[in-house]
Amino acid sequence: MVTVAFIIAFFFAMNIGGSGAAATMGAAYGSGTLPNKRIALFICAVAIFLGSLSGGEVVKTIGSGIVPTSILKTDLVVIVLAAATISLFAANVLGIPLSTSEITVGAVVGAGIAYQSLYISKLLWIVSFWLITPLAAFSFAFFISKWLKGKTLRQNKWVSFLLIIAGFFEAFSAGMNNVANAVGPLVGAGLLSVKHGIIFGGLFVALGALLLGSRVLETNGKKITTFSQLEGCVISGIGATLVIVSSIFGLPVPLTQITTSAIIGIGTTKSGFSIWQKQIVIQVLKVWVVSPIFSLAVSYSLIKLLLHSDVYTAIAIVSVCFATLGTISLKKTITEERRSFHEHGGGI
């Protein structure tokens, strides 16, 4: 079981690196500042590993700040990590982006509920920052973009260099905050020390970014090319700053949603508040709600099924979870079809 726990944790770490973490260099790559994909991913991997070495406080929060370490036995850690991995995999299959920080916290909370042992005050503090940090990212991006609007910047080489630095620190912040998602439960169960957890976790997240991040970097880079290099600096800089500050206080926060909120803030200065009616904003809100609840339910169900032999409760909860995700996925598909229909000259 200990071997299984390590395998799942490090597999989860590589997927974290290959998804959200690899996207941190998207602005630099997509704008052509770093045209070589391998170099961009290598810089990303180095920054992630360096950031992970400062992520001890977040590891402690995931490992012992949400539930008592007394309940984190090896079999329970396997279930918590499996629940987070299953949630991420199911979301990827259905095309619904989930925050790794939120699904990990949700999985740990599911274990706490199953054993009726949960630090409520700490959990509420964490959840409050899931709301505060995206709002802060939006506000900072909105006002900075307002201030920059109409200004021209002639020092293009300086801006290019600044964009690479901003991407580096965003990747650094991802390592500092997200490595805990994979190794926190192992540390909580006493299977790894905090020191060894951040080193090995950082290595596998960095390895995942290097080996699995190519497609995500390509997609993210193409999406961000609609922004100028200076706007890319603002987005990455805000994301990195908020996540690093949160990590210092041991708070696991959703980097993807923080970055998306910054993008929406810049978009609001260009298009006005009508952008809030677009599907991307609705999607962000769905992710914020669905991520922790889905992984919580999967974790709770697996514990009831495998450790408590409560088959009926597990079946009922899993059914509701997949029905909810299926509904969200169907609505997303219908929306995309309608958009496509309009773009090709159709009407409703």
Side-chain angles (χ1 to χ4, degrees), residues 2-347:
V2 172
T3 303
V4 171
F6 275 93
I7 290 172
I8 294 175
F10 293 147
F11 176 74
F12 187 39
M14 289 187 69
N15 278 276
I16 291 172
S19 56
T24 57
M25 295 301 293
Y29 171 73
S31 66
T33 306
L34 280 176
N36 189 306
K37 187 183 296 185
R38 283 295 162 193
I39 293 177
L41 290 174
F42 178 77
I43 294 173
C44 177
V46 171
I48 287 169
F49 179 72
L50 293 176
S52 71
L53 300 180
S54 304
E57 292 303 314
V58 187
V59 171
K60 292 175 185 176
T61 298
I62 296 292
S64 60
I66 301 173
V67 298
T69 56
S70 58
I71 72 169
L72 287 176
K73 307 301 181 185
T74 304
D75 52 359
L76 187 61
V77 167
V78 169
I79 289 175
V80 167
L81 289 169
T85 305
I86 290 170
S87 300
L88 187 60
F89 176 76
N92 288 338
V93 169
L94 294 172
I96 302 170
L98 295 188
S99 162
T100 54
S101 294
E102 290 179 1
I103 65 174
T104 305
V105 171
V108 175
V109 170
I113 293 174
Y115 284 90
Q116 299 179 8
S117 187
L118 194 63
Y119 297 140
I120 299 294
S121 59
K122 184 68 173 181
L123 178 61
L124 292 176
W125 182 245
I126 292 170
V127 172
S128 69
F129 269 79
W130 290 351
L131 180 62
I132 291 170
T133 48
L135 285 175
F138 171 83
S139 301
F140 286 138
F142 178 80
F143 288 111
I144 291 173
S145 183
K146 278 281 188 184
W147 180 72
L148 291 174
K149 197 172 183 180
K151 290 182 171 61
T152 57
L153 198 63
R154 297 176 183 176
Q155 299 174 339
N156 291 320
K157 291 183 179 179
W158 181 80
V159 177
S160 298
F161 177 74
L162 184 62
L163 182 58
I164 295 173
I165 295 298
F168 180 91
F169 276 103
E170 189 177 7
F172 181 94
S173 72
M176 194 174 179
N177 202 270
N178 288 348
V179 167
N181 298 327
V183 299
L186 296 178
V187 172
L191 301 178
L192 272 179
S193 66
V194 174
K195 179 181 178 181
H196 289 140
I198 59 178
I199 291 174
F200 287 111
L203 282 173
F204 276 91
V205 174
L207 189 64
L210 194 60
L211 299 180
L212 307 175
S214 178
R215 184 174 297 179
V216 172
L217 181 68
E218 187 74 29
T219 301
N220 192 266
K222 289 180 179 179
K223 290 179 180 178
I224 295 182
T225 51
T226 56
F227 297 97
S228 68
Q229 288 184 325
L230 188 58
E231 288 168 339
C233 293
V234 171
I235 293 167
S236 294
I238 289 173
T241 302
L242 289 173
V243 174
I244 288 173
V245 171
S246 299
S247 301
I248 291 171
F249 290 96
L251 296 166
V253 291
L255 174 60
T256 302
Q257 288 172 239
I258 290 171
T259 303
T260 303
S261 297
I263 292 172
I264 294 172
I266 289 177
T268 302
T269 63
K270 294 180 177 181
S271 308
F273 284 90
S274 61
I275 192 174
W276 285 83
Q277 299 175 358
K278 293 187 176 181
Q279 186 66 23
I280 186 172
V281 180
I282 298 172
Q283 188 70 10
V284 169
L285 295 176
K286 285 179 181 177
V287 170
W288 189 87
V289 175
V290 170
S291 296
I293 294 177
F294 181 71
S295 62
L296 184 158
V298 172
S299 175
Y300 183 85
S301 300
L302 289 175
I303 291 169
K304 285 294 183 182
L305 177 63
L306 300 177
L307 301 184
H308 299 167
S309 301
D310 188 349
V311 178
Y312 297 105
T313 299
I315 292 175
I317 293 174
V318 170
S319 299
V320 171
C321 285
F322 278 98
T324 302
L325 280 180
T327 302
I328 292 173
S329 179
L330 179 60
K331 287 181 177 179
K332 180 182 176 183
T333 302
I334 292 173
T335 302
E336 290 174 350
E337 290 294 332
R338 285 180 174 176
R339 187 183 298 114
S340 177
F341 189 59
H342 282 298
E343 287 174 354
H344 289 85

